[in-house]
Amino acid sequence: MGKLLVHITSGPEAPTRAALGLLVARTGIDEGHDVTVFLAGDAVQLIRDAVLDSLTGLGTGALRESFDAIAGGGGRFYVSGLSSKARGVTEDDLKGKPASSRCPTGWCSSRSRLIGTSRTNGGSLHGL
């Protein structure tokens, strides 16, 4: 199967958009793809347990359910270091999760590998 990078920029202020990004990633996992989720901007807050446990998107489901399905299916989460610093997200927020504050391997250094991009409100989906 293919590799997917789901880039989410919407955070707790837009739960439906945030949940949609995680739902897309979850669907990729369910279909057998290698999925990476990159959280940037306000979306870095989605890695916090309190946020995951409290948000549900309208018609897009609970964030915690999608996060657990992605993590359980081998998906990885990356959070923007600069966005995290600006919003107080720390390494403690990443503990126990398949998450890192480093950029996905090969993505930041070589965007030329992107073969397709589909833009949605609050994020984008990239086929690598």
Side-chain angles (χ1 to χ4, degrees):
M1 283 287 167
K3 293 182 181 184
L4 297 176
L5 174 65
V6 180
H7 181 190
I8 303 172
T9 57
S10 294
E13 78 292 347
T16 298
R17 288 181 179 177
L20 179 59
L22 289 182
L23 182 60
V24 167
R26 179 181 185 173
T27 301
I29 289 284
D30 291 345
E31 292 185 5
H33 297 287
D34 179 16
V35 175
T36 300
V37 178
F38 184 68
L39 304 175
D42 290 333
V44 298
Q45 299 171 85
L46 302 179
I47 204 70
R48 292 182 169 137
D49 287 320
V51 174
L52 286 169
D53 293 336
S54 66
L55 292 182
T56 299
L58 184 61
T60 53
L63 267 71
R64 173 58 76 182
E65 289 177 19
S66 290
F67 178 88
D68 288 347
I70 296 162
R76 295 279 311 157
F77 290 83
Y78 293 88
V79 296
S80 164
L82 292 175
S83 297
S84 294
K85 185 176 179 180
R87 290 161 181 84
V89 174
T90 67
E91 290 296 320
D92 286 340
D93 294 311
L94 307 181
K95 285 184 181 170
K97 300 178 179 96
S100 173
S101 59
R102 297 176 192 237
C103 205
T105 304
W107 185 67
C108 292
S109 62
S110 178
R111 288 193 165 196
S112 63
R113 294 184 57 212
L114 297 178
I115 58 172
T117 301
S118 174
R119 184 85 175 133
T120 62
N121 287 334
S124 56
L125 173 67
H126 303 280
L128 299 177

